Amino acid sequence: MMRTLTQEQVEVGSVLPELSLDLTPTVVVSTALATMDFTPVHHDVEIARAQGSKDIFLNILTTMGLIERYVTDWAGPAAVIRRINVKLGVPAYAGDRLSLRGSVAAHAEGEVTVEVRGMVSLGDHATGTVTLVLPAGQP
């Protein structure tokens, strides 16, 4: 049974466990298709290279979904995401590995803000914050 963290269990500075994912070509293509993104640079290597990329790469919706998954896997199923603010950096190419790391940056007025960083071999793929609400603990 999955449990959700409570407001009382979270402290500023708490570090989330790292999540690393291999970005196989199947992952890149299937997640683009799952988000109905049919832009060729996400599934056709020749077109991606013709447009200056070294390979196909993750689409924005997949990156955002992986960041949401990362934070909610840590927080639990009853956590409610209020805001996401993410800046994209270098591409996350097929064949690379995406590593997500995070820590609690703020905890005030019932909201928890987690700073998140997604890295690939070229550097930061995505950096930003996710703000969520956790349930109160039992009295």
Side-chain angles (χ1 to χ4, degrees):
M1 182 168 130
M2 292 185 66
R3 296 187 185 263
T4 300
L5 294 172
T6 63
Q7 293 178 24
E8 295 77 15
Q9 293 174 306
V10 176
E11 297 179 10
V12 172
S14 296
V15 176
L16 284 65
E18 182 176 326
L19 173 65
S20 290
L21 302 161
D22 289 324
L23 302 177
T24 65
T26 300
V27 167
V28 174
V29 172
S30 65
T31 57
L33 295 176
T35 59
M36 298 188 68
D37 185 342
F38 305 112
T39 307
V41 294
H42 302 304
H43 62 83
D44 188 314
V45 175
E46 289 181 24
I47 291 175
R49 288 182 179 155
Q51 292 188 14
S53 292
K54 77 174 199 175
D55 207 331
I56 57 175
F57 52 92
L58 284 183
N59 71 347
I60 295 167
L61 292 173
T62 298
T63 297
M64 298 302 286
L66 291 172
I67 289 171
E68 286 183 24
R69 170 196 167 186
Y70 174 62
V71 174
T72 58
D73 279 359
W74 165 76
V80 177
I81 294 177
R82 296 283 192 206
R83 285 180 299 287
I84 300 177
N85 183 6
V86 173
K87 179 181 177 185
L88 294 176
V90 299
Y93 289 116
D96 210 338
R97 185 172 187 82
L98 175 64
S99 296
L100 293 164
R101 297 181 185 156
S103 63
V104 177
H107 185 239
E109 299 177 19
E111 292 186 334
V112 174
T113 300
V114 177
E115 288 183 345
V116 178
R117 183 175 176 204
M119 295 157 290
V120 292
S121 63
L122 293 174
D124 287 341
H125 170 60
T127 55
T129 58
V130 178
T131 302
L132 55 137
V133 175
L134 299 173
Q138 298 297 323

